[in-house]
Amino acid sequence: GGGGGGSSASCRSISGGGTTATLEASATCAACMFTNSANSIDGNKDTFGSLTLPSLTAGDGAARVTAQNGVIFGGGSRAGVLVDASSGVSVEILASLILRTYLKGALQEENVLVTNGVGGGVGSPGQPEVLSFKTAKDYDAVELGIAGTALNFSANIHEFCSN
């Protein structure tokens, strides 16, 4: 291969086999949704699932992808998401945007991308970007989540990545 432009080139999709994509939400986030979640693990960067937290949702809402059984990504690799904002939706958040890694269901690491709405967002509509961090520990799952209060937060997750 070769060529290609933009940051999407740096996303090696977590997909295939028994890979799963699930909504992880606290009880206070009953209206949270992760729609078309299978699109975020299909290996196609043009399709996406949408993580939506309705207005003034308090608590935790997250989208998590878990690799098929037996697949573990080594510490030192980059865990992340290829994501952009849903068009026409406010992505102002009074919350933190967090990437987390898990191994066999246990939290391994978390990396705060945005704290209380400071530090950027999730990319402009139609211009997905990779948000990622360099891991120190092995993992088999990656999660993009919000902690705090979101104001009409909605993000299109094109793929979960492990590079």
Side-chain angles (χ1 to χ4, degrees), residues 26-159:
S26 61
T28 56
C29 202
C32 295
M33 295 182 296
F34 184 21
T35 51
N36 299 315
S37 57
N39 288 345
S40 66
I41 55 171
D42 63 359
N44 180 349
K45 295 180 176 80
D46 294 327
T47 62
F48 55 84
S50 295
L51 176 65
T52 305
L53 282 65
S55 183
L56 298 178
T57 299
D60 262 335
R64 184 187 302 178
V65 64
T66 304
Q68 59 186 311
N69 199 26
V71 173
I72 294 176
F73 305 103
S77 62
R78 296 192 72 84
V81 289
L82 177 64
V83 63
D84 66 353
S86 299
S87 58
V89 178
S90 166
V91 291
E92 291 301 312
I93 51 176
L94 309 169
S96 298
L97 193 59
I98 304 171
L99 276 173
R100 301 181 182 101
T101 58
Y102 294 83
L103 184 61
K104 301 191 185 327
L107 178 66
Q108 298 300 299
E109 296 176 84
E110 69 176 34
N111 182 268
V112 178
L113 302 167
V114 178
T115 304
N116 294 331
V118 178
V122 293
S124 302
Q127 297 179 312
E129 59 183 81
V130 174
L131 303 179
S132 66
F133 74 101
K134 187 172 183 177
T135 61
K137 300 177 179 177
D138 292 354
Y139 59 97
D140 63 6
V142 177
E143 180 179 277
L144 175 67
I146 294 230
T149 301
L151 182 62
N152 286 339
F153 177 84
S154 184
N156 295 330
I157 302 174
H158 292 255
E159 293 297 313

